[in-house]
């Protein structure tokens, strides 16, 4: 069974095909093929969501399938039913399952017993659907005709703020996989984890990212400046200290001016204006945040199409 838990679960050739399919779905919408006809897909959330929930729900519907949104707390999982039994039971009803959860081992646990494809809708470790959407959003600008992934090669991304979070991990993995340069700047104690280095090694990817505490050094020459919330879901107890520690990493116009003149600003959202990013940067013409959000819909449909094809669902 082919799942989509990590960015490298698709070969580069498959990823290229996902981006081209996403472009064709975007252009043809609402006339998309009913590839999920007669299928029911579950969306299981252990954490809050706006974009992931709505884009998957709409996307499954638009591909002719039936989406069922489940909140882990309101299922028997919330009362202690095992991941193994939940995966076996849900596999008897559904043709696929998107999961947003805490520890990455929970989603990996589902793949042990599921007989349907599992899609990662964010874990504490990574957020691959967001990254595929972000790369698609960049390809719309770098290679709008054929969405050729080679156009990503050599482009520099700078990630600021919480450089040990799921989004930072996903960016580091994708930069290595797609041949981009990546620099990260965040406070002491937020360097990328040993778990991330191990994941790069396990996938045969080079450990070439540059991490520093100096935001201005990191953004020099950047084609893309990226940030994420300073307090991720699950980190709420550390909120007060994080806000203080990360204040020097706010993406504001001074920092944007230190990147390439034409650099794009990106954020997976939700944004907290005045914290990780200033309002003027969010509103600036080089901010492509709402394209990123929209493209979740198109890209995830293409991810589902790729999984359906690979698994012959
Ligand atoms: N970017 C993202 O995944 O947003 P949600 O938390 O709203 O799903
Ligand atoms: N790092 C954030 C991403 C939200 C989409 C979180 O995990 O809360």
């Amino acid at each position: 069974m082919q799942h989509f838990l990590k960015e490298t679960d698709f070969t580069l050739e498959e990823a290229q095909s996902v981006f081209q399919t996403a472009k064709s779905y975007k252009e043809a919408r609402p006339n998309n093929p009913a590839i999920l006809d007669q299928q029911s897909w579950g969306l299981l959330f252990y954490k809050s969501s706006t974009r992931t929930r709505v884009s998957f729900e709409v996307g499954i519907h638009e591909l002719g399938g039936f989406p069922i949104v489940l909140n882990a707390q309101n299922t028997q999982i919330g009362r202690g039913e095992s991941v193994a039994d939940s995966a076996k039971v849900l596999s008897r009803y559904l043709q696929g399952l998107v999961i947003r959860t805490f520890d990455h081992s929970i989603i990996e646990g589902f793949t042990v017993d599921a007989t349907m494809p599992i899609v990662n809708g964010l874990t504490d470790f990574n957020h691959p659907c967001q990254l595929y959407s972000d790369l698609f959003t960049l390809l719309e600008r770098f290679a709008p005709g054929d969405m050729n992934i080679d156009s990503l090669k050599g482009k520099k991304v700078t990630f600021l703020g919480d450089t040990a979070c799921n989004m930072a991990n996903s960016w580091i993995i994708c930069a290595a996989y797609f041949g981009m340069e990546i620099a990260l700047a965040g406070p002491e104690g937020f360097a990328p984890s040993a778990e991330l280095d191990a994941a790069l090694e396990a996938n045969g990817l080079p450990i070439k990212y540059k991490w520093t505490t100096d935001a201005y050094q990191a953004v020099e020459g950047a084609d893309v400046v990226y940030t994420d919330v300073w307090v991720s879901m699950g980190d709420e107890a550390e909120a007060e200290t994080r806000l203080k520690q990360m204040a020097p990493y706010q993406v504001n116009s001074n920092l944007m001016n230190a990147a390439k003149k034409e650099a794009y600003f990106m954020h997976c959202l939700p944004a907290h204006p005045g914290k990780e990013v200033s309002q003027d940067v969010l509103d600036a013409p080089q901010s492509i945040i709402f394209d990123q959000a929209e493209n979740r819909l198109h890209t995830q449909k293409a991810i589902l199409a790729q999984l359906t094809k690979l698994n012959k669902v």
Side-chain angles (χ1 to χ4, degrees):
M1 183 60 62
Q2 174 75 50
H3 305 287
F4 187 63
L5 262 51
K6 55 186 200 295
E7 296 74 6
T8 52
D9 279 346
F10 290 143
T11 63
L12 287 173
E13 208 172 46
E14 288 164 355
Q16 178 67 81
S17 160
V18 165
F19 296 129
Q20 279 158 349
T21 303
K23 176 177 151 75
S24 71
Y25 284 173
K26 183 171 182 173
E27 285 167 359
R29 192 177 178 232
N31 298 316
N32 289 162
I35 55 162
L36 301 185
D37 187 31
Q38 302 299 317
Q39 295 193 17
S40 299
W41 279 66
L43 306 168
L44 175 60
F45 289 91
Y46 290 67
K47 291 175 172 174
S48 306
S49 171
T50 299
R51 280 146 288 270
T52 305
R53 185 218 155 136
V54 179
S55 57
F56 266 113
E57 196 169 351
V58 170
I60 290 163
H61 169 71
E62 289 186 358
L63 294 177
F66 179 63
I68 301 170
V69 178
L70 300 161
N71 179 322
Q73 276 313 310
N74 298 342
T75 66
Q76 295 292 1
I77 294 170
R79 300 185 68 251
E81 187 168 17
S82 71
V83 162
D85 284 2
S86 304
K88 286 176 194 162
V89 170
L90 291 173
S91 293
R92 300 285 180 116
Y93 306 129
L94 303 170
Q95 279 69 49
L97 181 62
V98 180
I99 302 175
R100 165 169 288 195
T101 190
F102 291 90
D103 201 275
H104 199 74
S105 62
I106 299 171
I107 201 165
E108 286 174 338
F110 270 91
T111 64
V112 175
D113 293 288
T115 54
M116 61 186 161
I118 304 292
V119 177
N120 181 351
L122 178 147
T123 68
D124 290 346
F125 182 70
N126 65 348
H127 196 2
C129 289
Q130 179 70 53
L131 255 286
Y132 270 56
S133 172
D134 293 344
L135 294 175
F136 176 87
T137 306
L138 289 175
L139 289 171
E140 287 186 312
R141 284 153 179 86
F142 298 152
D146 60 2
M147 310 297 277
N148 193 327
I149 55 172
D150 285 345
S151 66
L152 297 168
K153 283 195 177 135
K155 293 284 194 302
K156 177 174 173 178
V157 181
T158 298
F159 192 102
L160 294 148
D162 181 0
T163 45
C165 77
N166 42 17
M167 280 303 304
N169 287 345
S170 281
W171 261 111
I172 291 170
I173 291 167
C174 279
Y177 199 41
F178 291 93
M180 300 174 80
E181 195 187 326
I182 186 162
L184 305 97
E188 289 293 353
F190 288 87
S193 64
E195 188 189 359
L196 186 265
D197 287 354
L200 287 169
E201 274 182 338
N203 288 289
L205 296 173
I207 302 180
K208 284 206 307 205
Y209 63 85
K210 293 194 184 103
W211 181 81
T212 168
T213 54
D214 184 338
Y216 282 87
Q217 187 190 319
V219 293
E220 209 183 304
D223 298 285
V224 177
V225 178
Y226 205 106
T227 193
D228 183 13
V229 297
W230 288 341
V231 183
S232 284
M233 292 178 278
D235 293 333
E236 291 77 7
E238 298 170 17
E240 208 179 316
T241 41
R242 280 170 169 257
L243 296 191
K244 279 192 204 122
Q245 286 173 299
M246 295 186 191
Y249 302 93
Q250 182 191 76
V251 181
N252 50 38
S253 51
N254 288 339
L255 204 54
M256 285 304 292
N257 288 339
K260 272 193 187 160
K261 195 168 171 290
E262 66 280 13
Y264 293 112
F265 170 72
M266 300 180 83
H267 190 314
C268 56
L269 304 180
H272 299 81
K275 293 200 170 69
E276 74 274 6
V277 55
S278 61
Q279 187 67 55
D280 59 332
V281 168
L282 284 167
D283 296 338
Q286 70 226 75
S287 165
I288 52 175
I289 55 175
F290 296 113
D291 285 347
Q292 291 175 257
E294 177 190 331
N295 288 333
R296 296 289 303 275
L297 173 65
H298 315 301
T299 313
Q300 287 161 187
K301 281 184 188 172
I303 289 170
L304 298 183
Q306 187 70 36
L307 286 173
T308 305
K309 195 160 76 182
L310 291 170
N311 292 314
K312 301 185 175 51
V313 178

